[in-house]
Amino acid sequence: MRVTLDLNKTYAIALEGGGAKGAYEIGVWQALDEAGVRYNAVSGTSVGALNGALMAMRDLSRAVEIWSNIRPSQVIELGSLDEDEYKKVLEGKLEPDDWQELLPQAFELIRNRGLDVSPLRAWVREIVDEHRIKTSDVDFYISTVSLTDRKSLEVHVNDLPEDQICDMLLASAYHPSFRLEKLGGKFYADGGFADTLPLHALVEAGYKDIIAVRIPGMGIERHFRIPDDVNIITISSYADLGHALNFDAEQARRDMAIGYWDAQRMLYGMHGRLYCVERSMSEREALDWILDHADTSKGSLRDYLERELPKTGRQLDAAGMDYYGLMLALAEQRAERCNLPKFRTYLDRDLLKLIE
């Protein structure tokens, strides 16, 4: 298979915020690196800023190692909670007896006005090499909000004094659940309150070819006019990437794999949302497959085509797709029910045979 991107170009990369889901971005980076995609600029918000620091350092192996072994206690002070109890809280799987044990921690959290993230501060200072970022050949931008100055900020990290870089990375990643503390003498809030996908800084800096890595979740996206000569390629996911505060190695490894395969789909012109599918069928062949598997017992074929099939398309979020896209959405739904492995490439005809 051939890469669909122009490998003669050098790209800028925008990384969206998303907390623990940020492992997804490292999986995307792995696929881009493997395909030979070059970059000379990166922008990030929140966890995208922390991942952007690793990209500015050009240290992919370190990024994979960090996320593959991440634990909640590296980010949040859990107190008397163990990591399994913390995970149960996030997933809402508490038993009645658990509530009595956890009430003191809940009151402590309220008294302290948020989660203690002193472990995150130490962790960021451990993994970030300020000198490598300061002297990097990668232009690095982050988005944050200064509560002290009451304004959003786009920061060119390469211009910062080295001793301020870690503080500004933390400023971008200051989740609303975190205990509010001063960084460099000021209060900051998560950059997602101003620009969860920081494209603006890259466009303003003159970059024309931008890869935007999206993470589903909450945040405010800055709207501005994108010039006609700016080309934005988006990589995003339809998969469940887990809870934004579940800094768990198992979830992170799964999210990295999802990011890798979502990027593969873009890089090689593959089809599908949850599966990576190589196309060999025409739209007419796809329609024939749909009709061969249609339930027309409650009406005519025309009624199925004009009423039932559009309804199915809406249910699968495939209303705007052609018959091939709709066929693939139906096939992926069945493949999930059959528990077919997702992290591999399928020829469309082979996928259909497997779900039969």
Side-chain angles (χ1 to χ4, degrees), residues 89-347:
V89 171
L90 290 180
E91 295 176 351
K93 294 181 179 178
L94 294 174
E95 301 295 333
D97 291 343
D98 295 326
W99 285 106
Q100 188 170 358
E101 293 181 21
L102 294 175
L103 275 176
Q105 284 81 16
F107 287 127
E108 184 71 17
L109 180 64
I110 293 168
R111 273 198 303 271
N112 291 330
R113 300 183 181 181
L115 296 168
D116 179 358
V117 289
S118 51
L120 176 61
R121 291 181 182 234
W123 184 59
V124 168
R125 284 176 167 78
E126 177 187 344
I127 65 175
V128 171
D129 186 329
E130 298 99 326
H131 182 69
R132 285 178 66 182
I133 292 174
K134 177 73 176 176
T135 59
S136 175
D137 62 336
V138 178
D139 260 346
F140 180 28
Y141 301 87
I142 62 172
S143 171
T144 187
V145 176
S146 171
L147 298 177
T148 302
D149 299 320
R150 299 184 180 182
K151 64 180 181 180
S152 60
L153 302 173
E154 289 178 343
V155 180
H156 187 212
V157 180
N158 313 69
D159 291 339
L160 293 173
E162 287 184 19
D163 61 359
Q164 292 182 19
I165 289 176
C166 282
D167 273 351
M168 290 311 298
L169 294 176
L170 285 164
S172 181
Y174 226 81
H175 192 274
S177 65
F178 295 169
R179 184 189 305 168
L180 197 58
E181 296 175 344
K182 284 187 176 181
L183 296 165
K186 295 184 179 182
F187 290 111
Y188 291 91
D190 193 294
F193 283 112
D195 194 2
T196 188
L197 181 66
L199 291 169
H200 183 263
L202 296 174
V203 173
E204 284 292 296
Y207 291 97
K208 303 298 183 186
D209 297 287
I210 302 172
I211 298 172
V213 185
R214 305 297 314 256
I215 297 179
M218 298 178 64
I220 297 170
E221 188 173 342
R222 179 172 180 170
H223 294 286
F224 65 100
R225 183 185 174 279
I226 297 175
D228 295 337
D229 61 345
V230 172
N231 178 36
I232 296 177
I233 301 140
T234 301
I235 300 173
S236 60
S237 187
Y238 284 88
D240 179 5
L241 300 179
H243 197 288
L245 290 176
N246 185 21
F247 293 93
D248 172 73
E250 183 180 354
Q251 173 180 303
R253 289 191 290 267
R254 183 180 66 249
D255 289 353
M256 277 195 288
I258 293 169
Y260 177 87
W261 284 99
D262 282 345
Q264 290 281 99
R265 194 176 292 113
M266 180 279 293
L267 284 165
Y268 297 100
M270 309 294 277
H271 296 261
R273 289 176 170 174
L274 301 175
Y275 291 80
C276 199
V277 181
E278 184 179 356
R279 181 170 182 171
S280 69
M281 297 170 62
S282 68
E283 188 178 8
R284 177 55 188 268
E285 288 175 308
L287 176 58
D288 288 342
W289 184 87
I290 292 172
L291 295 178
D292 287 343
H293 296 78
D295 179 8
T296 57
S297 60
K298 298 179 182 178
S300 66
L301 180 59
R302 178 175 178 178
D303 186 61
Y304 176 79
L305 283 171
E306 294 182 359
R307 295 189 182 183
E308 295 304 316
L309 195 55
K311 186 190 301 183
T312 300
R314 290 191 294 273
Q315 291 170 347
L316 295 173
D317 194 23
M321 295 183 178
D322 62 12
Y323 285 125
Y324 183 83
L326 183 53
M327 178 274 292
L328 205 51
L330 288 163
E332 286 191 306
Q333 183 185 60
R334 297 186 184 191
E336 267 208 301
R337 290 174 183 166
C338 297
N339 291 319
L340 288 186
K342 292 177 181 174
F343 303 140
R344 51 161 291 189
T345 300
Y346 294 89
L347 186 68

Side-chain angles (χ1 to χ4, degrees), residues 39-84:
Y39 66 91
N40 60 357
V42 62
S43 65
T45 294
S46 194
V47 75
L50 302 181
N51 286 335
L54 291 161
M55 293 195 76
M57 292 160 55
R58 295 195 182 276
D59 201 344
L60 175 57
S61 60
R62 179 78 169 124
V64 172
E65 177 192 357
I66 289 164
W67 280 102
S68 296
N69 298 288
I70 197 165
R71 303 186 314 277
S73 58
Q74 290 177 306
V75 180
I76 297 164
E77 178 57 59
L78 299 180
S80 60
L81 282 181
D82 63 34
E83 293 183 346
D84 289 336

